[in-house]
Amino acid sequence: MQSTVTPTHCPYCALQCGMNLTPVPGGTVRVSERADFPVNRGALCGKGRTAPALLAPGVRLTSPLVRSPETGALVPAGWGEALDRIAEGLDRTRTGYGADAVGVFGGGGLTNEKAYALGKFARVVLGTSQIDYNGRFCMSSAAAAGVRAFGLDRGLPFPLEDVPRTGCVILVGSNPAETMPPALRYFTELRANGGTLIVVDPRRTRTAEQADLHLAPRPGTDLALALGLLHLVVAEGRTDEAYIRERTTGWEEARAAAMAHWPEYVERITGVPVPLLRETVRLFCEPEAAMVLTARGPEQQAKGTDTVGAWINLCLATGRAGRPLSGYGCLTGQGNGQGGREHGQKADQLPGYRKLTDPAARRHVAAVWGVDPDSLPGPGRSAYELLDALGTDIRSLLLMGSNPVVSAPRAAHVEQRVRSLDFLAVCDVVLSETAALADVVLPVTQWAEETGTTTSLEGRVLLRRRALPAPDGVRSDLEVLHELAARLGGGPSPEKRFPTDPEEVFEELRRASAGGPADYSGISYRRLVEENGVFWPCPAPGPEPELEPGPGPGLEASQAAPAPAPAPVSAPAGRAVHPGTPRLFLDRFATEDGRARFVPVAHRANAEEPDDEYPVLLTTGRVVAQYQSGAQTRRVDELNAAAPGPFVELHPRLAERIGAAEGDPLAVVSRRGRAVAPARITAAIRPDTVFMPFHWAGEGRANTLTNPALDPTSRMPEFKVCAVRVETARS
């Protein structure tokens, strides 16, 4: 048995915590502390510690499965038969109904190499525009707002190490104590250093318990709250006029919009008392530096882009963006939620975070791929819209690393759409609820069995390294795409266009991203090992390729904050290696004129407000022991012991009104369906609100209830707020 210790990263959230893996008997590994990685400094949550449980035989898939025409059951099959069935199913749809009748759905947990190859496969081999991924459900509203204001989206434009050194952080709709526990230390250190933490959340979460100030707005009113704070900033003379004049545009319009949201009006909308609004402004404005960090709370709304934009406006008006230890940032959720949307599996994007509608971007990527730019399809449907079209416009689907039957809004409807497909193929580690509906299921490698890169919430590109071989019968997603390309065609030697070696794929990704907003061309596997990750943008040494102009405004090497010099890495003689860019926007923003843009926004109601029939608001989220749709974590005994099933969190006053006691089964009913789970009664939630975690399938599936109303810009569904009624469900 090999006893080599392999330094790598956790397979779960976007912190991508460093860990060491040592193979042990039984085909699995032992996790140990890796103190050299600066983000988690050795700390791991329970999910990271128990991740090897998913490697064990009997837990994960180890053989392809195909749907038996005789019994209708999924039965084991050989790889050749399974791949042939997938190729035949996709080609049959493409031939009979056209390329756009074939859909592709990816995941925010796929490595950069897989996401890149999947987007290329969809557009070059299948010729379909119908590709998107579950990251659309994660932080697309923050991404849209960031591009609109700054000209560029990177979750955090500064490293987490800056957080404890600022003066104040407003944390909006985030609960890192449960969603990414090793990150909580940054906020604890902030307070130990004399800084202030303000948490905005309708629940008094474990994170809110650590805060100096907790604001508990009514769900869906974060936009009004941010506008009310900006109103007070103006009224109290706390704007940074020199900064506004020198580094921004659009202030007068944004200022006028904010002034229509006076404090008492905002109190009526949000339920946050005016004195707390004033105290928030004081705590935020008095220090020399401050930050606003958002997460899914304000983003997963039908007005999420405008909501995040309002918080960005607050930062800009006070000079808290593009300055040391200040700025707006988003806490990305999924493990590769950042990189997953940068390299082509999103409906409207090409590698390097290029726009699919940009002729220059199409020319550049097409040249790397060896195809005619005109052959590349245009933008397709966003994630929910794609799922909603299954069985009608989209007749076959190839799905990698996602479980939308549990994770999508209006999940019962999505499940019905999945069932109506002519053909479904799923690549996954386990037999998820979605995979169980497939015609073909392929068992693929997972994090400890493969090498590949991810990009953390900081924009730090990292290398996950293979620690042990995959079991017999398991192949990588890259091998799957390679084999399908060989069967489906797409030009001469299509299989050669889809290498199975992840480093070879990454080298192509570097060329495809060169000159784009998310430029990885100066990053190599060697650098990632030697430097413990590299922050993008990181252009290659020397002149940019002639295929595309150089880095856009705001992305020059001079903007990187001082950092230790990287080790020399195969640079041409006399040409310096770009150090990467841990801190964006210090000199200018990534807009044509280098200025950040204020965007005027105004409060508007939720897509669905309470009424006599549905008088309560539902919000959803995570618990510390489970992750996303739970397809993996629900198979780990230790995690299930800590969080065995769904629940409904409600205030004692609401419990008394409906006659519920602790542990009673409650039915939560929306216009889309009904979910049943035990009552958890606590004064830590607003009386007009109930909370359900979304990790479980079955009758406790929270996303049966959620509203698929979409943000008009980001196409993000309104997961975080919908109208429901709550009643006892005793037999």
Side-chain angles (χ1 to χ4, degrees):
M1 169 63 63
Q2 174 188 358
S3 59
T4 303
V5 174
T6 301
T8 189
H9 296 273
C10 179
Y12 290 112
C13 82
L15 282 182
Q16 287 298 280
C17 291
M19 57 170 57
N20 287 322
L21 302 182
T22 305
V24 297
T28 184
V29 293
R30 181 177 67 252
V31 170
S32 59
E33 179 178 310
R34 181 184 167 195
D36 71 308
F37 187 61
V39 174
N40 63 308
R41 300 175 236 164
L44 292 170
C45 73
K47 294 185 290 291
R49 286 188 298 98
T50 61
L54 271 297
L55 300 166
V59 178
R60 50 93 54 82
L61 294 170
T62 55
S63 171
L65 304 173
V66 299
R67 187 74 58 186
S68 167
E70 290 80 22
T71 67
L74 285 171
V75 297
W79 270 92
E81 178 188 354
L83 289 165
D84 287 346
R85 283 213 195 182
I86 294 175
E88 290 164 5
L90 299 180
D91 192 53
R92 185 167 55 248
T93 296
R94 184 173 59 173
T95 301
Y97 299 96
D100 274 359
V102 179
V104 177
F105 200 84
L110 300 181
T111 62
N112 290 319
E113 292 81 359
K114 294 178 185 179
Y116 171 83
L118 186 62
K120 178 182 175 183
F121 178 83
R123 296 180 173 104
V124 172
V125 176
L126 297 176
T128 183
S129 67
Q130 300 304 304
I131 175 172
D132 210 69
Y133 83 128
N134 63 14
R136 178 79 66 172
F137 300 157
C138 178
M139 57 171 289
S140 55
S141 291
V147 170
R148 196 165 68 176
F150 306 132
L152 183 71
D153 155 48
R154 196 180 83 185
L156 289 180
F158 41 75
L160 278 167
E161 68 185 42
D162 286 359
V163 170
R165 300 161 57 205
T166 193
C168 176
V169 172
I170 302 180
L171 190 60
V172 189
S174 177
N175 182 17
E178 299 207 51
T179 59
M180 46 181 67
L184 190 63
R185 68 169 60 185
Y186 290 97
F187 303 102
T188 303
E189 291 171 7
L190 164 73
R191 299 184 67 212
N193 291 341
T196 302
L197 176 63
I198 302 171
V199 170
V200 179
D201 199 303
R203 304 165 61 222
R204 189 164 183 81
T205 63
R206 295 183 186 180
T207 304
E209 290 285 353
Q210 307 298 314
D212 298 280
L213 187 64
H214 172 216
L215 310 182
R218 182 175 180 268
T221 63
D222 308 273
L223 174 53
L225 178 63
L227 287 164
L229 296 176
L230 182 53
H231 178 111
L232 286 169
V233 165
V234 175
E236 296 177 5
R238 296 181 183 271
T239 55
D240 187 330
E241 295 297 327
Y243 175 93
I244 292 171
R245 184 172 56 253
E246 295 165 8
R247 298 204 61 187
T248 72
T249 61
W251 168 234
E252 289 305 319
E253 294 84 356
R255 178 185 181 279
M259 296 314 288
H261 298 75
W262 60 95
E264 292 76 12
Y265 173 57
V266 169
E267 179 180 311
R268 289 200 300 273
I269 294 171
T270 65
V272 178
V274 171
L276 290 185
L277 299 177
R278 295 188 183 279
E279 179 67 0
T280 300
V281 168
R282 183 187 71 80
L283 293 172
F284 184 69
C285 292
E286 285 187 351
E288 184 176 346
M291 299 174 178
V292 172
L293 303 178
T294 67
R296 305 304 78 75
E299 297 162 20
Q300 288 180 327
Q301 299 180 26
K303 52 183 179 292
T305 302
D306 284 355
T307 300
V308 173
W311 289 102
I312 291 174
N313 286 349
L314 179 66
C315 291
L316 295 177
T318 53
R320 307 307 178 95
R323 284 179 168 173
L325 306 181
S326 284
Y328 163 78
C330 167
L331 298 178
T332 308
Q334 293 194 75
N336 197 30
Q338 180 71 53
R341 69 181 180 282
E342 293 169 0
H343 298 299
Q345 67 170 334
K346 196 160 174 254
D348 55 353
Q349 286 175 353
L350 288 169
Y353 224 148
R354 288 181 161 92
K355 292 181 179 179
L356 191 52
T357 54
D358 177 3
R362 294 170 68 88
R363 287 195 301 272
H364 176 91
V365 174
V368 174
W369 288 351
V371 299
D372 183 341
D374 292 338
S375 72
L376 298 177
R381 293 174 172 88
S382 70
Y384 179 77
E385 292 165 305
L386 189 157
L387 295 171
D388 190 40
L390 298 182
T392 53
D393 293 341
I394 298 173
R395 310 295 292 261
S396 292
L397 182 69
L398 173 64
L399 185 147
M400 283 188 170
S402 186
N403 188 20
V405 164
V406 178
S407 64
R410 197 185 174 197
H413 171 74
V414 168
E415 179 177 346
Q416 187 274 328
R417 301 317 312 152
V418 170
R419 291 179 181 275
S420 71
L421 282 165
D422 293 346
F423 182 79
L424 171 64
V426 173
C427 301
D428 211 331
V429 173
V430 298
L431 191 66
S432 70
E433 286 76 14
T434 306
L437 304 179
D439 296 282
V440 180
V441 182
L442 298 181
V444 291
T445 51
Q446 52 181 309
W447 108 111
E449 302 160 350
E450 61 187 14
T451 293
T453 61
T454 62
T455 305
S456 75
L457 78 173
E458 303 175 297
R460 189 195 304 250
V461 185
L462 302 164
L463 184 65
R464 285 187 191 164
R465 282 169 270 195
R466 182 174 180 260
L468 76 170
D472 292 340
V474 174
R475 299 186 185 180
S476 74
D477 297 276
L478 296 179
E479 291 176 286
V480 170
L481 295 175
H482 173 93
E483 293 289 344
L484 290 178
R487 286 165 169 80
L488 287 164
S493 303
E495 71 280 2
K496 293 182 180 178
R497 296 184 179 187
F498 292 88
T500 60
D501 175 29
E503 187 168 9
E504 189 175 346
V505 177
F506 188 77
E507 289 301 306
E508 183 180 311
L509 182 158
R510 292 173 65 187
R511 298 195 302 275
S513 74
D519 191 336
Y520 283 32
S521 61
I523 303 173
S524 66
Y525 273 27
R526 179 181 168 189
R527 282 193 69 177
L528 296 179
V529 171
E530 293 176 347
E531 301 174 40
N532 235 341
V534 177
F535 292 86
W536 72 260
C538 182
E544 292 296 328
E546 295 180 0
L547 293 166
E548 179 76 356
L555 305 185
E556 293 85 350
S558 63
Q559 292 183 48
V569 184
S570 304
R575 294 177 184 170
V577 172
H578 192 289
T581 315
R583 295 170 181 86
L584 294 167
F585 314 138
L586 294 180
D587 296 328
R588 54 186 285 127
F589 294 95
T591 56
E592 290 184 3
D593 60 6
R595 292 170 174 261
R597 306 184 189 100
F598 282 99
V599 178
V601 294
H603 168 71
R604 59 184 185 272
N606 297 317
E608 187 175 79
E609 292 286 359
D611 56 22
D612 290 343
E613 187 175 3
Y614 302 100
V616 177
L617 290 171
L618 168 72
T619 191
T620 63
R622 287 170 49 188
V623 297
V624 67
Q626 300 288 353
Y627 182 71
Q628 303 301 76
S629 75
Q632 296 184 38
T633 52
R634 284 186 275 116
R635 288 169 166 81
V636 178
D637 290 342
E638 181 178 330
L639 300 179
N640 279 334
F647 57 87
V648 181
E649 187 177 280
L650 72 164
H651 192 275
R653 293 214 300 266
L654 177 57
E656 182 179 6
R657 188 161 72 242
I658 65 173
E662 182 74 15
D664 280 354
L666 296 183
V668 183
V669 184
S670 78
R671 290 177 173 85
R672 288 153 296 280
R674 180 177 188 264
V676 178
R680 183 173 294 181
I681 301 172
T682 173
I685 192 168
R686 292 174 54 98
D688 59 1
T689 301
V690 295
F691 167 83
M692 289 188 71
F694 53 65
H695 309 292
W696 287 273
E699 70 172 3
R701 181 174 59 185
N703 278 319
T704 296
L705 308 168
T706 49
N707 192 351
L710 302 179
D711 181 288
T713 302
S714 69
R715 315 309 288 170
M716 167 83 87
E718 192 158 71
F719 284 100
K720 285 299 178 188
V721 54
C722 69
V724 298
R725 68 173 179 268
V726 185
E727 53 200 21
T728 58
R730 301 185 186 93
S731 55

